[in-house]
Amino acid sequence: MTPRLRLLDRTVCLLLGLALVAIALLAFDWRYGVVGTYADALSTTAAVDVVESSWWPWAFAAGALVLALLALAWLVAHLRRPGPGSERLDASDPTGRLEVDLRSAASAVAERFAELAPVAHARGTTEQRGRHALLVVHGHVDPAADADALAEATATCTREVAAAFPDDDVRFRVVLESPRRRRLGGGDDRVRVR
């Protein structure tokens, strides 16, 4: 999730929370009259007049359509997008374009990392960070894993990626998680290694 989308999510959640708190306080005040005084009975005459008017179905349909489009846009914004599939390297020149298939490279690096490190279910993905492509290896750490072996495997793969892409076009990251198990509680057992 991008920082901008995360900020938007938090802002919307804060505004919805504040609106719900305001409604709850208004209902409490209406019941007990702590701050203001309200009529004992509410009149729905104005609402009935609006609902029975000829323009109401069209306005309701337009509002529902706008809300549906906003909800769809919100859902699409939260979909995980695959990272870049290829990267044009700085070694390209007017005589030819040099590209690397990043997804294949990420899979190959994940396989190499799984050979070197005590991890299970290693898989490679790609991300775009600024102008740099990023090969990310996700893996689940073996319960008996040696930290030195993990660090050495990470250092080896980092050197190999740097040797394969000397112009610093492509970078490497490892994200290690706890062994797969059913967790009743929450928590995030992740370790990021750059």
Side-chain angles (χ1 to χ4, degrees):
M1 185 182 296
T2 64
R4 178 182 286 175
L5 186 58
R6 189 176 297 117
L7 177 65
L8 179 65
D9 281 354
R10 290 178 180 172
T11 304
V12 169
C13 286
L14 177 66
L15 292 175
L16 284 175
L18 290 174
L20 290 174
V21 167
I23 291 170
L25 289 175
L26 182 64
F28 181 81
D29 191 46
W30 181 48
R31 172 69 175 97
Y32 294 104
V34 176
V35 176
T37 56
Y38 306 94
D40 290 337
L42 293 176
S43 173
T44 59
T45 306
V48 170
D49 291 343
V50 168
V51 170
E52 289 178 351
S53 65
S54 62
W55 56 267
W56 172 251
W58 296 104
F60 183 80
L65 181 63
V66 167
L67 287 176
L69 290 175
L70 285 174
L72 186 61
W74 191 276
L75 288 174
V76 168
H78 284 81
L79 289 177
R80 284 192 164 206
R81 292 182 181 88
S86 63
E87 175 78 9
R88 182 178 179 178
L89 301 178
D90 287 343
S92 301
D93 59 24
T95 62
R97 182 178 174 135
L98 187 59
E99 287 189 357
V100 62
D101 180 6
L102 292 176
R103 292 190 183 121
S104 296
S107 296
V109 172
E111 289 175 15
R112 175 75 170 139
F113 187 78
E115 291 172 5
L116 300 171
V119 296
H121 308 292
R123 64 182 175 83
T125 60
T126 62
E127 294 179 12
Q128 188 72 38
R129 294 294 167 119
R131 67 175 208 88
H132 299 284
L134 191 63
L135 304 180
V136 184
V137 172
H138 299 269
H140 292 273
V141 179
D142 190 298
D146 178 31
D148 292 335
L150 291 169
E152 182 58 34
T154 301
T156 300
C157 288
T158 301
R159 283 191 303 271
E160 291 175 359
V161 169
F165 305 103
D167 292 334
D168 199 31
D169 293 329
V170 180
R171 295 183 177 177
F172 175 65
R173 176 181 292 163
V174 177
V175 178
L176 300 175
E177 299 182 25
S178 61
R180 286 194 174 191
R181 65 182 189 277
R182 288 187 65 187
R183 292 195 310 211
L184 298 176
D188 189 6
D189 298 339
R190 290 182 168 204
V191 176
R192 289 182 183 260
V193 182
R194 292 179 189 229

